[in-house]
Amino acid sequence: MPRTGQDYLASLRDGRAVWLDGELVKDITEHHAFRNTARSIADLYDLAADGPARDVLTVQPEGTEQRILRAYHVPRTHSELVERRAAFKTWSEASYGFLGRSPDYMATGIAGFVSAPEVFAGAEFDGRDNLAAYHRRMTEGSLYQAFTITNPQIDRTKSASEQEEDDLYVRVVKERDDGIVVRGAKMIGTAAVFGDEIIVGTIEPLAPQDVDYALCFSVPIDTPGLKFISRTSYEAGARSVFDNPLSSRFDENDALLVCDDVFVPWENVLTYRNVDATFQMWWGTPAYTNFVHQASVRYWTKLEFLTGLAILLAKSNNTYHLPPVQMQLGRLIGWLNIAKSMVLAAETEYEQIGGAGGPVHISREIASAHRAMAGDLYPKVLAELKMLAGGGLIQLPASGYDLDHPELGRLVAKYVRSPGTPAEQRIKLLKLAWDALGSEFASRHEQYERFYHGAPHVYLPGILRDGRPDLLEAFTQSCLDGYELGEGPGAGAGSHGGR
Ligand SMILES: Cc1cc2nc3c(=O)[nH]c(=O)nc-3n(C[C@H](O)[C@H](O)[C@H](O)COP(=O)(O)OP(=O)(O)OC[C@H]3O[C@@H](n4cnc5c(N)ncnc54)[C@H](O)[C@@H]3O)c2cc1C
């Protein structure tokens, strides 16, 4: 049985070094910057442990005694992919799509690693046994894996080993009989402060000379020497759940990871001094496409939430029946159905590794297409909603609690309302809308949807490479080759001149 929310919260009370505003946070389950989000994540575990959705979120693999989180399970048929999608959808709906890095994200990546373990078999270091033990450890504990697999933006024109100092990116500085010592930094540890373990690696290609940086390992978050430097907390800035309903509960946090001479036992190392395996573990296994499976379901859910918000805003403004507003709402529903169709199509076009009975993953081609579509579309969705909402998003009392004030409350109730929507209901709706569209939390989400899956200058040329441009070019060329100057009716110089 997966652990409960209480078990999860208890596990967070360890010696983890989380820094916020110059302070070393003692207990993130009690601190005002983290506690509500920790509870939202605990609720996800409760849903899986003992609720009506237990059988959706967990599975008991054949020949085993324990139910495990479905995201850790390796699917082998199309219907298992569909069942995994139902699990992603259930957890996504619990945060309306605003917890991007819920525990299922990296769990499904780990299921991707074990679907192609040969990628970890380097000549000098063979990580396959460690990988199998790692998958078992994470699955049996229903552990929450955070990850930092991007180097900090220090000088993007230079490779890891060419940076002006050696320890800017995580690298191995010492080898011991029982493990290695690593030093340096990685970004962006989304939800890392809420995790059980952090996996440290590099998803972008490394240069051949970057061998000291070419490694991947996973260690507990409270490992001595690991430091998490948190960004501004939106949860801490929230006045109340009523005033900031999303940022007060779903601020998954992003932290810079610093490894200050961290000891990593050999058994926690997955790739070592191997440029190729360190890159291929993400791309030569289904890890990345599995990420997209989770992320595309969450994205679809988020668009459902935002479209529902648009409908409520239009109704509250009494503009719902106006033809231009109906066009805007129709466009939003069309976009959301594109997002949904991509999930269904990617599952239908699934790919199988090693023939019948082997692990399956969603279509790589459609996963890439989702990457190209989602980041560009998200700002357009927000722009449509802002146009629908108008100035009411801004013309709001600072807090809904102004309604409780004996003098002020009367005025707010009189002027902040619309037909059929009394003040408290309208303020509640518009505060939710601002948190989703315009707050600092909302801006972070816009940046997240654009960048969480990498930078466009990296992935768009990759989509070109994999997209068989030769076939597309040949197809259009066949049209050009089908006619000549002066050929066919009306194509000659005379007929052109006669028009
Ligand atoms: C909210 C958020 C959460 C994230 N969470 C995680 C996480 O949990 N774990 C994790 O590992 N990563 C995470 N990421 C990091 C994400 O993987 C990176 O942001 C992404 O890989 C892009 O890298 P970058 O931000 O360093 O951008 P850069 O690579 O620095 O690119 C930024 C811009 O610089 C320009 N540019 C830079 N280099 C070039 C070049 N060579 N050619 C042309 N143009 C160039 C482009 O305009 C590009 O858009 C997160 C990012 C965000 C925004």
Side-chain angles (χ1 to χ4, degrees):
M1 181 69 66
R3 63 181 169 176
T4 63
Q6 270 314 315
D7 294 340
Y8 163 68
L9 290 172
S11 77
L12 296 176
R13 297 186 195 105
D14 55 15
R16 61 190 59 206
V18 176
W19 288 87
L20 175 73
D21 294 331
E23 177 201 343
L24 187 58
V25 175
K26 282 200 188 72
D27 178 354
I28 67 162
T29 67
E30 296 298 332
H31 194 281
H32 66 291
F34 307 102
R35 62 189 172 206
N36 290 350
T37 304
R39 276 172 212 146
S40 297
I41 297 164
D43 290 345
L44 300 181
Y45 279 108
D46 279 338
L47 280 174
D50 191 21
R54 187 198 76 154
D55 291 353
V56 174
L57 289 162
T58 64
V59 60
Q60 186 168 341
E62 244 178 70
T64 67
E65 299 288 306
Q66 197 194 348
R67 293 197 76 81
I68 60 166
L69 289 177
R70 202 176 280 278
Y72 276 117
H73 181 57
V74 176
R76 290 177 191 275
T77 59
H78 173 256
S79 43
E80 285 191 327
L81 275 182
V82 172
E83 285 162 2
R84 188 171 72 179
R85 178 230 300 166
F88 292 153
K89 193 85 178 71
T90 303
W91 267 9
S92 293
E93 285 174 1
S95 72
Y96 311 99
F98 284 92
L99 284 179
R101 295 286 162 73
S102 43
D104 49 350
Y105 187 95
M106 191 59 220
T108 194
I110 297 170
F113 296 155
V114 295
S115 301
E118 63 285 355
V119 169
F120 294 78
E124 309 283 319
F125 179 87
D126 188 341
R128 282 177 294 182
D129 288 347
N130 289 353
L131 173 68
Y134 164 59
H135 181 234
R136 245 188 338 268
R137 176 172 85 242
M138 302 307 288
T139 305
E140 287 171 3
S142 9
L143 299 184
Y144 190 173
Q145 174 77 80
F147 62 101
T148 48
I149 52 178
T150 313
N151 289 320
Q153 275 178 318
I154 293 174
D155 186 344
R156 282 280 180 263
T157 64
K158 295 193 169 89
S159 78
S161 53
E162 291 164 355
Q163 300 290 320
E164 55 185 41
E165 282 177 43
D166 286 338
D167 302 327
L168 298 179
Y169 300 168
V170 172
R171 67 173 186 135
V172 58
V173 290
K174 193 171 176 190
E175 216 173 272
R176 297 179 6 186
D177 289 345
D178 50 352
I180 53 176
V181 177
V182 298
R183 187 185 300 157
K186 284 277 175 186
M187 73 180 220
I188 292 180
T190 299
V193 305
F194 298 111
D196 292 293
E197 291 201 14
I198 182 99
I199 186 167
V200 180
T202 306
I203 197 166
E204 309 299 1
L206 286 159
Q209 67 272 21
D210 291 342
V211 280
D212 287 349
Y213 300 82
L215 75 163
C216 181
F217 58 86
S218 178
V219 285
I221 298 285
D222 63 346
T223 300
L226 285 185
K227 297 183 169 95
F228 296 89
I229 305 176
S230 170
R231 63 150 162 77
T232 305
S233 164
Y234 313 137
E235 182 176 324
R239 286 163 168 246
S240 65
V241 173
F242 185 93
D243 289 316
N244 310 87
L246 300 174
S247 48
S248 62
R249 296 179 296 165
F250 306 121
D251 180 13
E252 60 189 344
N253 200 274
D254 305 282
L256 175 72
L257 168 72
V258 177
C259 297
D260 200 359
D261 284 5
V262 172
F263 172 67
V264 182
W266 281 121
E267 55 270 25
N268 291 54
V269 180
L270 299 174
T271 69
Y272 186 60
R273 296 179 67 80
N274 185 330
V275 168
D276 195 43
T278 301
F279 179 66
Q280 287 300 337
M281 62 181 282
W282 306 103
W283 303 103
T285 73
Y288 192 84
T289 45
N290 284 2
F291 288 159
V292 178
H293 196 200
Q294 189 271 5
S296 58
V297 174
R298 180 197 55 77
Y299 187 83
W300 156 24
T301 307
K302 206 176 187 183
L303 294 201
E304 285 180 328
F305 170 80
L306 290 171
T307 307
L309 185 60
I311 293 166
L312 288 167
L313 285 168
K315 289 197 167 170
S316 176
N317 283 354
N318 207 17
T319 56
Y320 182 78
H321 296 290
L322 300 178
V325 171
Q326 297 253 308
M327 276 174 60
Q328 282 175 283
L329 295 174
R331 183 175 295 124
L332 285 168
I333 290 182
W335 283 341
L336 127 69
N337 284 330
I338 289 173
K340 173 182 171 180
S341 321
M342 292 188 87
V343 174
L344 305 188
E347 289 166 358
T348 306
E349 295 290 302
Y350 72 91
E351 293 165 40
Q352 191 143 31
I353 301 175
V360 297
H361 58 82
I362 60 166
S363 150
R364 275 183 198 268
E365 202 175 42
I366 299 173
S368 287
H370 192 274
R371 210 175 180 196
M373 179 276 295
D376 285 348
L377 180 59
Y378 194 72
K380 291 187 193 161
V381 172
L382 296 189
E384 287 287 342
L385 270 101
K386 285 180 186 167
M387 287 309 288
L388 277 168
L393 276 182
I394 307 298
Q395 191 58 90
L396 280 172
S399 166
Y401 292 98
D402 284 3
L403 281 167
D404 294 340
H405 190 276
E407 190 182 340
L408 192 59
R410 196 175 46 82
L411 298 174
V412 172
K414 179 168 177 177
Y415 295 112
V416 187
R417 64 173 184 181
S418 56
T421 316
E424 184 175 332
Q425 212 177 309
R426 183 161 167 82
I427 295 169
K428 189 178 190 186
L429 172 66
L430 289 168
K431 292 269 182 195
L432 174 66
W434 185 248
D435 223 10
L437 308 176
S439 64
E440 201 174 347
F441 172 84
S443 292
R444 181 264 175 199
H445 268 272
E446 191 175 336
Q447 197 67 352
Y448 180 81
E449 299 297 356
R450 281 190 167 123
F451 277 101
Y452 77 87
H453 46 28
H457 71 271
V458 178
Y459 66 74
L460 292 177
I463 293 175
L464 171 66
R465 268 193 314 276
D466 299 342
R468 296 306 309 267
D470 50 334
L471 294 183
L472 300 170
E473 185 185 341
F475 178 52
T476 308
Q477 188 61 47
S478 73
C479 173
L480 286 167
D481 293 347
Y483 54 88
E484 300 290 344
L485 185 65
E487 191 183 301
S495 69
H496 178 73
R499 255 190 235 147

